[in-house]
Amino acid sequence: MAAGRPRGARPATLLFVVPVAFLAVFFVWPVVALVHRALTSSDGTGLVALLDRTDAWGLLGFTLAQAAASTVLTLVVAAPLVWLVTVVPRWASTPLMVMVTVPFVLPTVVVGIAFRALLSPGGPLGGLGLDGSVASILAAHAFLNVAVVVRVIGAAWRALDPRAEQAARTLGASGPRAFLTVVAPRLLLPAVSAASLVFLFCATSFGVVVILGGGRLQTLETAVYTQAIGYFDIPAAVALSLLQIVVVVVAVVLTRLLAPPTQAVVGRTRPRVVVTPARRTCAVAAAMWGAVILVGPLLVVAVRSVRPTAGGTWTLEGYRALAVPVNGETPLDTLRSSVVSAAWATVLAVVVGLLAAMALQRSRGPVHAIASGLTLLPLGVSAVTVGFGYLVVLAALPPAVAASPVVVPAVQAVVAAPVVVRIIAPALAAVPDTLRAAAAGLGAGPWRVWRTVDLPAIWRSLGVAVGFAFVIALGEFGATGFVARPGTTTLPVLIGSALNRPGAEYLATAMAASMLLILTTAVVVVLMESIRGVEGSEF
């Protein structure tokens, strides 16, 4: 080993090769193509003039304002559920986490459908007059992102040593005072981390705003799509994408600066919670709250799939239509294609994410900090921006490349890989270095050390990462909508197309297809939660 080279530097460098190459080809290239297009706009209009013409500053203000309001609402809505996951036993936490997680991994187009059905005239909450309002977007964002708050803060809370709080209670502090003086300060950084992630997701939300905004309410994300696809104003769309990238980069940097180091807790025995009548009552109330806000909108979709319009007749036409060909392909065929595409995207995302997590585990200092931020960047940069970047790149490539079935899985993998990293990296960090050193001291090579020490310790997290990658790829809508072609259309894109067509029959088909995605997602999440054994990841 050369003098001054830290142990593990060479393996870490080699492990970074595949993730960096993947990031460069499937993420950096499209984004750089967008930037280049913005700086060399052919119509001679300057960037500032393009931004002024598209009311970019007003869009930016609304984007940031709704993201901030959505974040605050999400924290408030999730607070009872965060407490609940820290007090319920293991057998009860699994269905609770399933209930919390399903909305997070649902396609945003399905969430938009659910809230439009919930808040539209004739819906259960139609009398509130929230259909097409900012409040409907905020509510949908809270529904989507409750899982982020519950998972990040709940995992940190469960990992706390309870003896400090018990000591405060012994010294005479009441329950609320012990929480405020002992527990709350130690949850502040996880809360900031969760809020930063929620803000990032809400600032780049697409499907929810498209469906619930009704074209009247637009963010930077939806305006990019409108300018590119609706008006064919490519220079304006590129300018808005560039502004979106700047906003996301700033948000990612702040997220990494504010977020505490992520650590996993493996195999820790949780202390038994004393169940008092008051605590039992609060737990039941929190569970009912979660069921209403998380399960209620999905039940509305289920009802609308068999009764598309309020006051209409009950029918299964929506489900029968799933077997009726549209342009030579039935929605069930599209579902099968979506599953195959998502499976290939999962393979890509898990390979890239696992190698990146292993490289992060071996890196130190500024390299670790920079690399960690880069792995988060694809998660934060707008999916619509990435998809638009692909549109620019593919336009310059041969038609056979643009129509290749590899394109859609690659786009989906770009979105899913950062989540894989965020799940596996904490699990690898929890493996004691002494075990690796002992195995190496007995003559095991790097591959055997990883196979006999690391893999047995992280296999549960790896399984969860596979599940998350699959459902995220299956439900990806923003970027896939730009690159999907006949034969590679995914079910979320098909649902979005059905919603844009007039007629109750198309609405019924969209609702029935949404139920297919909801059930598929729920099954995968149940499998994920049944094997989860590591807490402390960001997802």
Side-chain angles (χ1 to χ4, degrees):
M1 182 181 295
R5 176 179 290 173
R7 181 180 179 87
R10 185 180 179 85
T13 302
L14 294 176
L15 288 171
F16 268 127
V17 170
V18 172
V20 168
F22 178 83
L23 195 69
V25 173
F26 294 108
F27 176 72
V28 176
W29 186 15
V31 172
V32 170
L34 268 182
V35 175
H36 180 265
R37 185 70 177 267
L39 297 178
T40 59
S41 179
S42 59
D43 64 357
T45 306
L47 181 61
V48 174
L50 284 172
L51 295 176
D52 288 338
R53 191 181 78 194
T54 56
D55 189 28
W57 311 117
L59 291 169
L60 175 62
F62 178 72
T63 299
L64 298 179
Q66 66 83 22
S70 296
T71 302
V72 173
L73 181 61
T74 303
L75 291 172
V76 172
V77 169
L81 299 176
V82 172
W83 171 81
L84 185 60
V85 299
T86 66
V87 299
V88 296
R90 174 68 184 178
W91 64 266
S93 66
T94 297
L96 175 61
M97 293 307 295
V98 169
M99 180 178 69
V100 167
T101 306
V102 166
F104 177 68
V105 295
L106 278 178
T108 54
V109 63
V110 174
V111 175
I113 288 175
F115 274 82
R116 193 168 78 171
L118 184 68
L119 300 173
S120 61
L125 300 180
L128 298 179
L130 299 179
D131 185 34
S133 67
V134 176
S136 65
I137 295 175
L138 303 186
H141 282 163
F143 171 82
L144 270 170
N145 293 296
V146 161
V148 177
V149 178
V150 173
R151 286 184 174 275
V152 174
I153 303 179
W157 196 343
R158 288 194 297 266
L160 294 180
D161 189 338
R163 288 176 294 184
E165 184 181 5
Q166 292 168 358
R169 297 290 298 270
T170 302
L171 293 174
S174 63
R177 185 176 180 183
F179 172 79
L180 291 175
T181 58
V182 177
V183 178
R186 299 158 75 184
L187 296 179
L188 181 60
L189 283 178
V192 171
S193 176
S196 301
L197 287 171
V198 172
F199 180 87
L200 195 61
F201 294 148
C202 295
T204 57
S205 174
F206 176 66
V208 165
V209 181
V210 164
I211 293 176
L212 296 180
R216 298 181 299 101
L217 301 174
Q218 286 202 335
T219 61
L220 284 173
E221 184 87 350
T222 61
V224 170
Y225 186 86
T226 300
Q227 294 292 338
I229 304 301
Y231 302 146
F232 299 103
D233 191 344
I234 305 300
V238 171
L240 290 173
S241 294
L242 188 59
L243 179 60
Q244 175 83 323
I245 291 171
V246 173
V247 171
V248 169
V249 168
V250 172
V252 168
V253 170
L254 291 177
T255 297
R256 298 319 301 169
L257 291 176
L258 295 173
T262 304
Q263 297 178 343
V265 180
V266 183
R268 170 172 289 184
T269 301
R270 293 169 58 185
R272 187 174 179 225
V273 178
V274 178
V275 180
T276 62
R279 187 182 293 269
R280 184 183 294 109
T281 300
C282 291
V284 171
M288 293 177 62
W289 168 253
V292 169
I293 64 171
L294 298 177
V295 180
L298 303 184
L299 291 179
V300 173
V301 175
V303 172
R304 283 297 179 91
S305 69
V306 292
R307 194 184 191 191
T309 57
T313 59
W314 298 88
T315 176
L316 294 177
E317 286 303 317
Y319 290 94
R320 296 190 186 101
L322 297 178
V324 176
V326 178
N327 297 326
E329 187 177 23
T330 70
L332 288 178
D333 293 332
T334 302
L335 175 61
R336 282 191 289 268
S337 301
S338 298
V339 169
V340 172
S341 177
W344 282 112
T346 299
V347 173
L348 276 174
V350 171
V351 170
V352 171
L354 178 60
L355 291 175
M358 293 169 63
L360 286 173
Q361 186 270 322
R362 288 166 171 77
S363 62
R364 298 291 184 271
V367 173
H368 178 86
I370 294 172
S372 181
L374 288 176
T375 60
L376 184 63
L377 196 58
L379 188 66
V381 169
S382 148
V384 168
T385 296
V386 174
F388 188 31
Y390 270 92
L391 203 62
V392 173
V393 168
L394 293 175
L397 296 177
V401 176
S404 171
V406 176
V407 174
V408 171
V411 173
Q412 294 169 335
V414 167
V415 179
V419 177
V420 174
V421 176
R422 286 300 176 277
I423 293 172
I424 296 178
L428 282 173
V431 179
D433 287 331
T434 53
L435 292 180
R436 300 187 182 100
L442 292 173
W447 163 245
R448 188 172 182 183
V449 170
W450 187 85
R451 181 170 56 85
T452 58
V453 176
D454 290 300
L455 184 57
I458 70 165
W459 74 268
R460 291 179 182 272
S461 289
L462 187 58
V464 172
V466 169
F468 258 113
F470 179 79
V471 293
I472 288 173
L474 184 66
E476 208 290 314
F477 176 63
T480 307
F482 279 89
V483 300
R485 300 288 187 274
T488 62
T489 300
T490 61
L491 199 57
V493 175
L494 181 67
I495 292 171
S497 299
L499 286 175
N500 290 328
R501 297 182 179 183
E505 65 276 12
Y506 291 112
L507 178 60
T509 302
M511 292 292 182
S514 298
M515 284 305 301
L516 285 182
L517 282 178
I518 290 172
L519 294 175
T520 303
T521 300
V523 169
V524 176
V525 173
V526 168
L527 294 175
M528 278 172 19
E529 290 301 327
S530 66
I531 66 172
R532 177 180 290 275
V534 176
E535 298 175 359
S537 69
E538 292 181 16
F539 294 95

